Every structure is written in C-alpha cells, then in structure tokens.
Amino acid sequence: MAAPSYPQVTEHIDFLLAEVAAILQLTGEQHQLAVQHYGAVAEYLSAQGSPVARFDPLIYPQGSMALETTVRPLRQEEYDLDLVCQLLRTGLDAMSVYNMVYARLMSHNTYATMVEKKNRCIRINYAHDFHLDIIPAEPDATRGGTAILVPDRSLVSWTPSNPKGFVGWFRGRCAILKRAAKAEAVPSPTPAAQKPALTIAVQLMKRRRDLFFSDATLAPRSVVLTTLAGELFQGTESVVATLAQILAGIQRRVMREAPNRIVVCNPTNGDERFCESFDGPGRYEAFKQFVEQFGREVQGLLSLEGIPQLEERLGVLFGGEPVRKAVKSYGALQKAKRDAGTLKFTGAGLGGVSVLPGSGGTRPVPPNTYFGAA
Amino acid sequence: MLVARGVIQPTPITRKYRVKLAYEERHAPKVFVISPRLERRPSQPELPIPHTYGSSKVGEERPCLYLPESGEWTPSHAIAITIMPWFLTWLVDYEIWLATGEWLGGGAPHGSSDGDCAPSSRKGAA
C-alpha cells in the first residue's frame, strides 16, 4: 500500500537508501562480537566473589542496538552501544549501585584499563569496534512492568527509564505496515535486507543529523528523532515516503505547539523526558532548521534526473562513501541478474529493465558481452 | 537502411535518452545516443567512456553492446529483443560508471578502442 502520490521512482531511490543504511550499520560480525563481550561482562559481574552477584545482574541491549538503528559515527571509529545491566532491587541508593558496578569492573585487570565513568553509564572501550555503555539499573517498583530506575551522576539520584518498553513500542510502530516481501528470487548480491521502512528512516535521520550539525552539541539526540519518527510514521512501505511523512509531521507539531516547544517523552514512561536536550541555547532552533531543511532535501530527491545527479545529491545528504557503495550495488544487482538470466525488459513505452523486482517487463534479456576497451 | 528513433529510459532513476538505431542488411546494427550526449567523467576527462566505439573521439562514442562473431548477435536475431535490451542495460552501467568511476557491467576488451565498427560488420561490408 504505497502512498499513491509517490511515483515509481521512489522504489529505486528506496533501494539506494536501504543500501546506505545497511552500509552504515553495525556489521553482523561486530554485532556478534558485542554480544560476546557483554556476555563476558555479565559473567564477571555475576561471578563468585562479586558484590554484584547477589543482585543477579542481567545485561541486555537497549537503544540503537536493540532497535537495529545503529549508524556508524562520523567523528570516531567506534559505535556507541547501550546496554542495561539490570539488577534485582538492591535497597541501595543510586550512587552506591553505580559505584558497586564500577568498582567490580575496575577490579578486573583488563576492564580496568578500558573503563570510563559517564553520567548514567559505565563505558567500556573496545578500540576500533565500539564502546559498550553499561547502564546499571534496578526495577522501578512504583511504575512496574518493564520500568527501571537508573543512577544519574549529575542528579546524584535515580532517574526513571523504560528502554525495554521503548523497544517494544518501536517494534510495534514498525509493524503497522510491514514492507511487502518481494516474491522474486534475487541473486547475490542481495538488495538490502528487508528492514522495515521506519527503521531505515531512523538510521537516515541520524546520519543526516550527524552530517548536518558541524557543532555536535546542537544536534538532537537519537532517541528524540527515533521517538518522533515512531509517533509520526503512518505506515508506508516506501523509505522516501516515510521520511517525508515524519519530517512533515514534526514540522506540523512544531507549528501547533509554538511558541512552546514540542514535548518528546518515552511513550512507555511519560516521566522519561527525552526533550530536555532542547534546553541548551540554540538547540531547539537548530532542531527546527534541521527538520525543515531535511524535509526539503527529501522532496528534492524525487525530481533529479539520472544516477550521477542522484549519487551526488545523496552523497551530500548521507556521505559520499556509503552512497557510492550503494550506487555500485545497484549496478552489481543488474549484472548479477543479467548473469543469472533473470533480468527482464520491456520495449513498451520508454522501455525498461527489471533491476528491481516488479519492474521492467517480462521478457528475459539475452546474454551479451559488451565489447571495447573497458 | 533502417533507422529508428525514440526515447528510452532504462530505469526510473536514469535519464531519458533520445536514441537512434541504424541497421543496414548484413551489417551490425549501430546504436547512437543523441541526447543527452554521452560524456566522460568530469573529474577524469582523459578517460574514455568504456565499451564504446570511437571512444577516443569525444562526442562520437557509441555503445559496443555485444561481442562480434561470438554468435551473441547474428542477423537472424531480432533487434527488438537483443540490441534494444542491451542498449538499456548499457545505459544503466554507463550512468553508474559516470557516477562512481566503476564499470560494473562486465565486457570484453578489443585491440583498438577506435574501431569504428565491429569486425563482423566489416566482413559483411566487404
């Protein structure tokens, strides 16, 4: 059920956008490595002699790793991966819990050299791959369910959170319309995995944000963009249409709330206000500017002519290197289909070849070898 | 001599091309891109467009779509279901080359990139 106002060109731009997102995300190997590493951390925290052990620590991913919205950072090599280290109720105060987990990690010869204190998490640096940001937490008895309390060092107290609830909510939003599985068998290299359009849109919003803000302190937080995207997504299988929908939706909300700021909370815990990050000077203005410009940029993608123009434009929006790779995978896909004998064409109208499933007619393109100097 | 003209667009993200196809009996069919004209990469103007006849003469290039004398195309093949789809895929590969500098469509080299026509057509003309 693609939005009817979007022409067929979106399907092909969507392919490139999905490729860009896939190129920027944590690789399968890195994901596995992260799981191994946090498994080892959990083991060390629960080992005999660990003061944390009696609270039965359980480590699970939250944020982009759990949402599958990771995006390679612009200014560093390492991805930031957020993990919750959930304990049973400790009966201790927030700082004691934080310090207990920190002290245990510092008692390990290797971790001691990798650990860094942050406001809400304890960061373990794995050079060249990622940081594991480990957030100590315990159940929030008052709010119940998946709600947790997290020590906040600047508040010197607990702060409410509900990352599990948030992940469940976001997955539910993604599923309001699953991208239709394309029936045609596609040879390797396969197009980007059939991720939900909403997930890809969030990755691209984060990437555009990283490139848009030369001053990273003005940039909206990922969780703000993710929440707004989830709230404003109305269900379409097109990534371009999803982005357009979200960005227009944010602008409508901004106008409706003016002169106040929009409020962005964890949809599963209203006390967890994500929009506090708008508080800094100039930040809300910068956010509005970003959304407005990106909205125009997305619309502009529909009126470009030719792959070189599209490559140049997408390169400005999301970075030259991932976009070049994405364009090459479009070419590699056509070649793979030609080699497999599955590329179809039509001579009707302007003609066309079926680089993507569902377009380009019914007749197979016979085998050929371009001649002449390469 | 048969000449066909028309506008083609290989996929929705490529340009629309005004093209010409010329076919003389017992000669190889020739395809021409009329507009927008084929161009070299602006960042590497010294590099000829891959897989073209007349590749050393800027503005006179035309796509080499198949390996002559390989049987991929013979006069018994209908142009509409061979030359035309190859022209479409070639244009996609050309645009990707223009954008990225990489030719992903494969192909075979020949001795001189300046050959004006494929060996099979020369034979036919003799």
Side-chain angles (χ1 to χ4, degrees):
Chain A
M1 201 181 68
S5 57
Y6 287 90
Q8 205 206 353
V9 65
T10 55
E11 198 188 324
H12 293 251
I13 299 175
D14 280 356
F15 171 90
L16 297 176
L17 293 177
E19 285 289 318
V20 169
I23 288 159
L24 291 172
Q25 73 197 7
L26 199 65
T27 65
E29 293 79 34
Q30 284 174 314
H31 184 98
Q32 268 185 343
L33 194 62
V35 172
Q36 260 174 40
H37 283 321
Y38 77 68
V41 173
E43 220 166 279
Y44 184 65
L45 293 176
S46 7
Q48 256 195 348
S50 162
V52 189
R54 67 190 168 109
F55 301 115
D56 202 10
L58 170 72
I59 298 189
Y60 58 87
Q62 70 143 330
S64 64
M65 190 179 174
L67 300 166
E68 296 185 75
T69 56
T70 53
V71 171
R72 193 196 309 144
L74 209 56
R75 293 172 183 86
Q76 66 193 34
E77 209 179 337
E78 292 88 2
Y79 290 82
D80 288 328
L81 303 180
D82 294 331
L83 302 158
V84 176
C85 171
Q86 187 156 345
L87 310 176
L88 301 176
R89 284 186 66 196
T90 60
L92 303 170
D93 65 87
M95 288 308 104
S96 303
V97 169
Y98 183 95
N99 290 327
M100 173 176 65
V101 176
Y102 179 74
R104 175 61 182 168
L105 290 173
M106 286 303 285
S107 73
H108 186 285
N109 285 342
T110 313
Y111 292 143
T113 63
M114 300 160 72
V115 158
E116 186 186 338
K117 275 189 176 182
K118 306 290 275 185
N119 185 38
R120 287 183 189 175
C121 66
I122 300 158
R123 170 168 290 182
I124 310 181
N125 291 303
Y126 294 85
H128 312 303
D129 284 308
F130 37 72
H131 312 133
L132 296 185
D133 285 349
I134 301 192
I135 303 162
E138 63 174 61
D140 182 341
T142 318
R143 293 181 183 84
T146 51
I148 55 173
L149 292 172
V150 172
D152 185 307
R153 292 172 64 225
S154 62
L155 297 175
V156 201
S157 174
W158 297 106
T159 189
S161 186
N162 192 352
K164 243 185 195 167
F166 186 79
V167 170
W169 168 80
F170 186 79
R171 288 208 183 122
R173 294 300 299 158
C174 285
I176 61 172
L177 195 138
K178 289 211 177 75
R179 289 171 90 196
K182 302 280 165 39
E184 185 181 341
V186 181
S188 178
T190 49
Q194 294 289 326
K195 284 180 80 169
L198 176 55
T199 311
I200 296 169
V202 167
Q203 289 177 292
L204 295 170
M205 287 171 76
K206 288 166 64 175
R207 177 64 175 186
R208 184 73 195 104
R209 181 238 3 231
D210 292 346
L211 283 161
F212 181 91
F213 287 94
S214 47
D215 177 359
T217 62
L218 290 177
R221 289 174 63 197
S222 295
V223 71
V224 168
L225 298 179
T226 307
T227 306
L228 287 168
E231 286 176 348
L232 293 159
F233 177 59
Q234 293 161 35
T236 155
E237 40 186 89
S238 160
V239 178
V240 178
T242 299
L243 280 170
Q245 213 168 62
I246 293 166
L247 294 163
I250 297 174
Q251 290 179 76
R252 274 197 306 275
R253 195 181 285 190
V254 163
M255 271 165 51
R256 203 175 56 219
E257 298 299 321
N260 298 315
R261 294 182 198 151
I262 60 168
V263 174
V264 188
C265 297
N266 184 334
T268 63
N269 184 351
D271 296 330
E272 191 179 1
R273 288 170 75 91
F274 298 143
C275 53
E276 280 164 0
S277 58
F278 289 147
D279 288 349
R283 293 182 100 187
Y284 191 61
E285 283 308 311
F287 165 75
K288 287 194 293 187
Q289 244 172 41
F290 164 66
V291 171
E292 192 190 319
Q293 180 176 324
F294 192 25
R296 277 200 310 272
E297 289 166 344
V298 168
Q299 289 298 336
L301 293 178
L302 299 174
S303 52
L304 299 177
E305 279 178 15
I307 294 172
Q309 227 182 59
L310 195 54
E311 195 252 4
E312 196 191 342
R313 195 69 204 127
L314 289 175
V316 171
L317 303 192
F318 305 113
E321 180 253 353
V323 168
R324 204 164 305 119
K325 282 189 184 161
V327 169
K328 284 185 202 167
S329 43
Y330 190 81
L333 182 62
Q334 169 171 277
K335 180 67 164 69
K337 286 188 162 191
R338 272 174 64 206
D339 290 347
T342 55
L343 190 70
K344 308 274 175 48
F345 79 96
T346 176
L350 297 172
V353 283
S354 64
V355 176
L356 297 184
S359 60
T362 51
R363 235 189 140 111
V365 176
N368 68 318
T369 315
Y370 304 136
F371 191 43
Chain B
M1 170 100 107
L2 197 99
V3 176
R5 291 166 201 275
V7 177
I8 56 177
Q9 185 180 28
T11 83
I13 51 170
T14 64
R15 297 169 184 159
K16 294 186 179 82
Y17 291 91
R18 188 164 294 283
V19 298
K20 185 175 91 174
L21 186 144
Y23 180 56
E24 206 172 338
E25 216 178 330
R26 290 180 296 129
H27 290 238
K30 293 178 180 173
V31 297
F32 301 85
V33 178
I34 311 296
S35 71
R37 289 167 76 138
L38 295 180
E39 52 181 317
R40 295 185 175 192
R41 302 191 73 226
S43 58
Q44 296 173 298
E46 71 287 0
L47 285 187
I49 304 168
H51 301 291
T52 50
Y53 295 112
S55 64
S56 62
K57 297 173 204 132
V58 173
E60 291 184 25
E61 302 95 334
R62 55 186 183 85
C64 311
L65 298 178
Y66 65 94
L67 202 57
E69 296 179 318
S70 66
E72 286 177 346
W73 187 85
T74 67
S76 67
H77 287 90
I79 287 171
I81 60 168
T82 53
I83 302 294
M84 278 318 292
W86 298 339
F87 199 1
L88 292 169
T89 61
W90 188 94
L91 286 167
V92 173
D93 290 318
Y94 158 73
E95 286 204 3
I96 287 168
W97 170 79
L98 208 51
T100 68
E102 256 183 70
W103 183 268
L104 291 153
H110 62 59
S112 159
S113 59
D114 301 336
D116 188 46
C117 48
S120 59
S121 77
R122 278 194 206 116
K123 207 191 290 173

Coordinates of all heavy atoms in Angstrom, one line a residue, chain B residues 23-59:
Chain B
Y23 N 20.3 0.3 -39.0 CA 20.5 -1.1 -39.4 C 20.5 -1.2 -40.9 O 19.6 -0.9 -41.6 CB 19.5 -2.1 -38.8 CG 19.7 -3.5 -39.2 CD1 20.9 -4.1 -38.9 CD2 18.7 -4.2 -39.9 CE1 21.2 -5.4 -39.3 CE2 18.9 -5.5 -40.3 CZ 20.2 -6.1 -40.0 OH 20.4 -7.4 -40.4
E24 N 21.6 -1.7 -41.4 CA 21.8 -2.0 -42.8 C 21.9 -3.5 -42.9 O 22.7 -4.1 -42.2 CB 23.0 -1.3 -43.3 CG 23.0 -1.0 -44.8 CD 24.2 -0.1 -45.2 OE1 24.7 0.5 -44.3 OE2 24.5 -0.1 -46.3
E25 N 21.2 -4.0 -43.9 CA 21.2 -5.5 -44.0 C 22.7 -6.0 -44.1 O 23.5 -5.4 -44.8 CB 20.4 -5.9 -45.2 CG 19.7 -7.2 -45.0 CD 18.9 -7.6 -46.2 OE1 18.4 -6.7 -47.0 OE2 18.7 -8.8 -46.4
R26 N 22.9 -7.1 -43.4 CA 24.2 -7.8 -43.4 C 25.3 -7.0 -42.7 O 26.5 -7.4 -42.6 CB 24.7 -8.2 -44.8 CG 23.9 -9.3 -45.5 CD 24.4 -9.6 -46.9 NE 24.3 -8.5 -47.8 CZ 25.2 -8.1 -48.5 NH1 26.4 -8.6 -48.5 NH2 25.0 -7.1 -49.4
H27 N 24.9 -5.9 -42.1 CA 25.9 -5.1 -41.2 C 25.4 -5.2 -39.8 O 24.3 -5.6 -39.5 CB 25.9 -3.6 -41.6 CG 26.6 -3.4 -42.9 ND1 27.7 -2.6 -43.1 CD2 26.3 -3.9 -44.2 CE1 28.0 -2.6 -44.3 NE2 27.2 -3.4 -45.0
A28 N 26.3 -4.9 -38.9 CA 25.9 -4.9 -37.5 C 25.1 -3.7 -37.2 O 25.3 -2.6 -37.8 CB 27.2 -4.9 -36.6
P29 N 24.0 -3.9 -36.4 CA 23.2 -2.7 -36.1 C 24.1 -1.7 -35.3 O 24.9 -2.1 -34.5 CB 22.1 -3.3 -35.2 CG 22.3 -4.7 -35.2 CD 23.6 -5.1 -35.7
K30 N 23.8 -0.4 -35.5 CA 24.6 0.6 -34.7 C 23.6 1.4 -33.8 O 22.5 1.8 -34.3 CB 25.3 1.6 -35.7 CG 26.4 1.0 -36.5 CD 27.0 2.0 -37.4 CE 28.1 1.4 -38.2 NZ 28.6 2.3 -39.3
V31 N 24.0 1.6 -32.6 CA 23.1 2.5 -31.8 C 23.9 3.8 -31.4 O 25.1 3.8 -31.3 CB 22.7 1.7 -30.5 CG1 21.9 0.5 -30.8 CG2 23.9 1.4 -29.6
F32 N 23.1 4.8 -31.3 CA 23.6 6.2 -31.1 C 22.8 6.8 -30.0 O 21.6 6.6 -29.9 CB 23.5 7.1 -32.3 CG 24.2 6.5 -33.5 CD1 23.6 5.6 -34.4 CD2 25.5 6.9 -33.8 CE1 24.2 5.1 -35.5 CE2 26.1 6.4 -34.9 CZ 25.5 5.5 -35.8
V33 N 23.5 7.5 -29.1 CA 22.8 8.3 -28.1 C 22.8 9.8 -28.6 O 23.9 10.4 -28.8 CB 23.5 8.2 -26.7 CG1 22.8 9.1 -25.7 CG2 23.5 6.8 -26.2
I34 N 21.6 10.3 -28.9 CA 21.5 11.6 -29.4 C 21.6 12.7 -28.3 O 22.4 13.6 -28.3 CB 20.2 11.8 -30.2 CG1 20.0 10.7 -31.2 CG2 20.2 13.2 -30.9 CD1 21.0 10.5 -32.3
S35 N 20.7 12.5 -27.3 CA 20.7 13.5 -26.2 C 20.1 12.9 -25.0 O 19.1 12.1 -25.1 CB 20.0 14.8 -26.6 OG 18.6 14.5 -26.7
P36 N 20.5 13.2 -23.8 CA 21.8 14.0 -23.6 C 23.0 13.2 -24.1 O 22.9 12.0 -24.1 CB 21.8 14.2 -22.0 CG 21.0 13.0 -21.5 CD 20.0 12.8 -22.5
R37 N 24.0 13.9 -24.6 CA 25.1 13.2 -25.2 C 25.9 12.5 -24.2 O 26.0 12.8 -23.0 CB 26.0 14.3 -25.9 CG 25.3 14.8 -27.1 CD 26.1 16.0 -27.6 NE 27.3 15.6 -28.3 CZ 27.7 16.2 -29.4 NH1 26.9 17.1 -30.0 NH2 28.8 15.8 -30.0
L38 N 26.5 11.4 -24.6 CA 27.4 10.6 -23.8 C 28.5 11.5 -23.4 O 29.0 12.3 -24.2 CB 27.9 9.4 -24.5 CG 26.9 8.3 -24.9 CD1 27.5 7.1 -25.6 CD2 26.1 7.8 -23.6
E39 N 29.0 11.4 -22.1 CA 30.0 12.3 -21.7 C 31.1 11.5 -20.9 O 30.8 10.4 -20.3 CB 29.4 13.4 -20.8 CG 28.6 12.9 -19.7 CD 27.9 14.0 -18.8 OE1 28.6 14.9 -18.5 OE2 26.7 13.8 -18.5
R40 N 32.3 12.0 -20.8 CA 33.3 11.5 -20.0 C 33.1 12.0 -18.5 O 32.3 12.9 -18.3 CB 34.7 11.9 -20.5 CG 35.0 11.3 -21.8 CD 36.4 11.6 -22.2 NE 36.7 10.9 -23.5 CZ 37.9 10.8 -24.0 NH1 39.0 11.4 -23.3 NH2 38.2 10.2 -25.1
R41 N 33.7 11.3 -17.6 CA 33.6 11.8 -16.2 C 34.3 13.1 -16.0 O 35.4 13.3 -16.4 CB 34.3 10.8 -15.2 CG 33.7 9.4 -15.3 CD 34.2 8.5 -14.2 NE 33.5 8.9 -13.0 CZ 34.1 9.1 -11.8 NH1 35.4 8.9 -11.7 NH2 33.4 9.5 -10.7
P42 N 33.6 14.1 -15.5 CA 34.1 15.5 -15.4 C 35.4 15.5 -14.6 O 36.3 16.2 -14.9 CB 33.0 16.2 -14.7 CG 31.8 15.5 -15.0 CD 32.1 14.1 -15.1
S43 N 35.5 14.6 -13.6 CA 36.8 14.6 -12.8 C 37.9 13.8 -13.5 O 39.1 13.9 -13.0 CB 36.5 13.9 -11.4 OG 36.0 12.6 -11.6
Q44 N 37.6 13.1 -14.5 CA 38.7 12.3 -15.2 C 38.5 12.4 -16.8 O 38.2 11.4 -17.4 CB 38.7 10.8 -14.8 CG 39.0 10.6 -13.4 CD 38.7 9.1 -13.0 OE1 37.6 8.6 -13.1 NE2 39.8 8.4 -12.6
P45 N 38.6 13.7 -17.3 CA 38.3 13.8 -18.7 C 39.2 13.1 -19.7 O 38.9 13.0 -20.8 CB 38.4 15.4 -18.9 CG 39.3 15.8 -17.8 CD 39.1 14.9 -16.6
E46 N 40.3 12.6 -19.1 CA 41.3 11.9 -20.0 C 40.8 10.5 -20.3 O 41.3 9.8 -21.2 CB 42.7 12.0 -19.5 CG 43.0 11.1 -18.2 CD 42.3 11.7 -16.9 OE1 41.7 12.8 -17.0 OE2 42.5 11.1 -15.9
L47 N 39.9 10.0 -19.4 CA 39.5 8.6 -19.6 C 38.3 8.5 -20.5 O 37.3 9.1 -20.4 CB 39.0 8.1 -18.2 CG 40.1 7.7 -17.2 CD1 39.5 7.0 -16.0 CD2 41.2 6.8 -17.8
P48 N 38.5 7.6 -21.5 CA 37.4 7.4 -22.5 C 36.2 6.6 -21.8 O 36.4 6.0 -20.8 CB 38.0 6.5 -23.6 CG 39.2 5.9 -23.0 CD 39.7 6.8 -21.9
I49 N 35.1 6.8 -22.4 CA 33.9 6.0 -21.9 C 34.1 4.5 -22.3 O 34.4 4.2 -23.4 CB 32.6 6.5 -22.6 CG1 32.5 8.0 -22.4 CG2 31.4 5.8 -22.1 CD1 31.4 8.7 -23.3
P50 N 34.0 3.7 -21.3 CA 34.2 2.2 -21.5 C 33.2 1.7 -22.5 O 32.1 2.1 -22.6 CB 34.0 1.6 -20.1 CG 34.1 2.7 -19.2 CD 33.6 3.9 -19.9
H51 N 33.7 0.6 -23.2 CA 32.8 -0.1 -24.1 C 32.0 0.7 -25.1 O 30.8 0.7 -25.2 CB 31.9 -1.0 -23.3 CG 32.6 -2.0 -22.4 ND1 33.4 -3.0 -23.0 CD2 32.8 -2.0 -21.1 CE1 34.0 -3.7 -22.0 NE2 33.7 -3.1 -20.8
T52 N 32.9 1.6 -25.8 CA 32.3 2.4 -26.9 C 33.2 2.2 -28.1 O 34.4 2.1 -28.0 CB 32.2 3.9 -26.5 OG1 33.5 4.3 -26.0 CG2 31.1 4.1 -25.5
Y53 N 32.5 2.3 -29.2 CA 33.3 2.5 -30.5 C 33.5 4.0 -30.6 O 32.7 4.8 -30.1 CB 32.4 2.1 -31.7 CG 32.2 0.6 -31.7 CD1 30.9 0.1 -31.5 CD2 33.2 -0.3 -31.9 CE1 30.6 -1.3 -31.6 CE2 33.0 -1.7 -32.0 CZ 31.7 -2.1 -31.8 OH 31.5 -3.5 -31.8
G54 N 34.7 4.3 -31.2 CA 35.0 5.8 -31.4 C 35.3 6.4 -30.0 O 35.0 7.6 -29.9
S55 N 35.8 5.6 -29.1 CA 35.9 6.1 -27.7 C 37.0 7.3 -27.6 O 36.9 8.0 -26.6 CB 36.2 5.0 -26.7 OG 37.5 4.5 -27.0
S56 N 37.9 7.4 -28.6 CA 38.9 8.4 -28.5 C 38.4 9.7 -29.0 O 39.0 10.8 -28.8 CB 40.2 8.0 -29.2 OG 39.9 7.8 -30.6
K57 N 37.2 9.7 -29.7 CA 36.7 10.9 -30.3 C 35.5 11.4 -29.5 O 34.4 10.9 -29.6 CB 36.3 10.7 -31.7 CG 37.5 10.3 -32.6 CD 37.0 9.9 -34.0 CE 38.0 9.0 -34.7 NZ 37.4 7.8 -35.3
V58 N 35.8 12.4 -28.6 CA 34.8 12.9 -27.7 C 33.6 13.4 -28.6 O 33.7 14.1 -29.5 CB 35.3 14.1 -26.9 CG1 34.2 14.7 -26.1 CG2 36.4 13.5 -25.9
G59 N 32.4 12.9 -28.2 CA 31.2 13.3 -28.9 C 30.8 12.3 -30.0 O 29.7 12.4 -30.5

